[in-house]
Amino acid sequence: RREPAQGPGPLARRRSRGPPMSRVCRNGVLAEGDATPGSFPAAAAFFETIALRAGMVECLDDHLARLRAGMARAGFAPGPLAAGDLAAWRAALGLLGGQGGQEGVLRLVVGADFEELGLRALLPSPEVFRLRSLRTVRDAAEWFPRPKSAPWANSLAATVELRTLGAGAGVEGVQFDAR
């Protein structure tokens, strides 16, 4: 599995793999915005990045199970998207233009009082890319499975290390757990 090292702020935006998400569905309403990690709130939030292939959301149940596990530990009540309400998903995808066979990357971000779903184009993977094993070790997970959460201390540390190595385009960093 390949995961890009991303962190918050302008550094992550410069490393972006594609056009930023210019529209998001926030609490059921289409809004101008950006659902990329650099734009997430400073408060606690959880997210999932999900493939949209031929207009179908891939592995939605698996993504939502991990998301809800983190939310439950934080005491957050799931909104309609996090709860898996298919009518809410259809409505949000319709607002974002993600129906009718479209391919893309969805990012669902949830906090104590909001849900945000963003969509951006799915870019082709490079034929060849290089992996660098990073020395920065991820901190111990609060619980397993490890939730995808903000703020981004692990990803920011990995991004900084990758930059100090002089890695350029087509280079990915792999970060390992302490164990």
Side-chain angles (χ1 to χ4, degrees):
R1 187 169 99 185
R2 184 171 68 120
E3 294 182 14
Q6 290 184 325
L11 187 62
R13 283 195 221 8
R14 283 195 303 271
R15 243 190 124 222
S16 174
R17 296 184 169 277
M21 295 181 200
S22 58
R23 297 189 324 170
V24 296
C25 182
R26 185 174 299 126
N27 295 330
V29 178
L30 187 63
E32 291 299 317
D34 187 9
T36 58
S39 68
F40 289 1
F46 296 91
F47 75 97
E48 286 292 323
T49 305
I50 308 167
L52 179 69
R53 298 193 189 281
M56 302 293 295
V57 179
E58 295 279 324
C59 304
L60 182 60
D61 292 339
D62 295 331
H63 286 288
L64 293 181
R66 178 173 48 197
L67 181 73
R68 286 191 299 257
M71 293 177 69
R73 293 290 291 250
F76 295 172
L81 296 175
D85 180 331
L86 295 181
W89 274 92
R90 281 188 209 98
L93 289 172
L95 288 172
L96 295 171
Q99 296 176 327
Q102 183 171 350
E103 306 263 315
V105 176
L106 295 164
R107 179 156 296 126
L108 176 60
V109 184
V110 297
D113 60 354
F114 74 94
E115 280 191 316
E116 199 166 272
L117 184 67
L119 173 64
R120 72 169 167 82
L122 181 64
L123 301 174
S125 295
E127 288 185 32
V128 176
F129 63 92
R130 296 179 311 168
L131 289 176
R132 295 290 303 256
S133 177
L134 301 178
R135 293 183 181 173
T136 303
V137 176
R138 293 190 332 172
D139 63 357
E142 298 83 1
W143 62 84
F144 289 101
R146 178 187 287 271
K148 292 182 174 181
S149 61
W152 307 93
N154 284 311
S155 294
L156 179 59
T159 299
V160 169
E161 180 182 347
L162 197 58
R163 288 233 178 259
T164 63
L165 295 173
V171 179
E172 298 287 339
V174 179
Q175 195 175 21
F176 298 95
D177 290 337
R179 52 187 162 97

